[in-house]
Amino acid sequence: MKKMISKMNVRAMMILAVMIYLFALPTEVLAQNAVPDSQSGTVKEGAGQDNNGNGEGNGESQAEELTYGDVDCNGDVNIYDVRLLNRYLLGTSPLTEQGKKNADVDGNQIIDTNDSLKILKCVQKLIEQSEFPIK
């Protein structure tokens, strides 16, 4: 029993350390990743969004496939998705409408720190992306 508790504490400490590290990373580290930028208007092609990421587009709007955990809508679920979601929750970064849908990994229609933690667990391979949405 003590070994199981010890392993759980180590995992929780690792997750906490990664989250703290993500908040400390300089923004330049993310420059190579395709994070949607509301100021430059860059979004994933064919996402059906206007240049402000509002999801309106030019009449050729197509619903982008829901990819739970892919907050930055680049096709991968990685640590940058966790960081972008945490910044969104702090009010320092915007999310596209598709990013908001992808971020709600627990399916409760509320984007919060529980979603961030679940995506982080997915990145750390503690849960599978196929398990989303997790109630």
Side-chain angles (χ1 to χ4, degrees):
M1 182 74 171
K2 285 185 178 182
K3 282 187 176 184
M4 188 169 81
I5 292 173
S6 177
K7 283 183 182 181
M8 290 172 52
N9 286 340
V10 169
R11 284 185 178 166
M13 298 273 292
M14 285 177 47
I15 290 171
L16 181 60
V18 168
M19 290 185 84
I20 291 170
Y21 172 74
L22 288 175
F23 281 114
L25 279 176
T27 306
E28 295 79 35
V29 174
L30 292 177
Q32 60 196 350
N33 195 31
V35 176
D37 183 356
S38 65
Q39 305 224 333
S40 68
T42 55
V43 293
K44 187 174 178 179
E45 292 258 350
Q49 297 177 335
D50 64 11
N51 287 341
N52 294 322
N54 292 326
E56 294 170 6
N58 58 2
E60 299 176 17
S61 178
Q62 299 175 348
E64 193 171 321
E65 185 176 324
L66 187 63
T67 306
Y68 286 111
D70 185 18
V71 179
D72 59 11
C73 303
N74 69 348
D76 296 321
V77 177
N78 54 37
I79 202 69
Y80 298 111
D81 295 300
V82 177
R83 182 164 193 242
L84 181 60
L85 179 54
N86 288 341
R87 287 182 163 211
Y88 169 77
L89 293 172
L90 287 173
T92 59
S93 291
L95 290 183
T96 62
E97 288 302 314
Q98 186 63 41
K100 290 177 185 177
K101 292 175 186 175
N102 292 348
D104 184 23
V105 297
D106 57 11
N108 67 355
Q109 308 300 316
I110 299 169
I111 301 170
D112 57 15
T113 55
N114 291 325
D115 296 304
S116 179
L117 183 59
K118 288 175 182 171
I119 296 170
L120 180 60
K121 286 181 178 180
C122 177
V123 169
Q124 294 294 318
K125 308 291 188 213
L126 298 175
I127 58 175
E128 294 293 321
Q129 184 179 4
S130 60
E131 295 178 34
F132 291 147
I134 298 175
K135 299 283 180 184

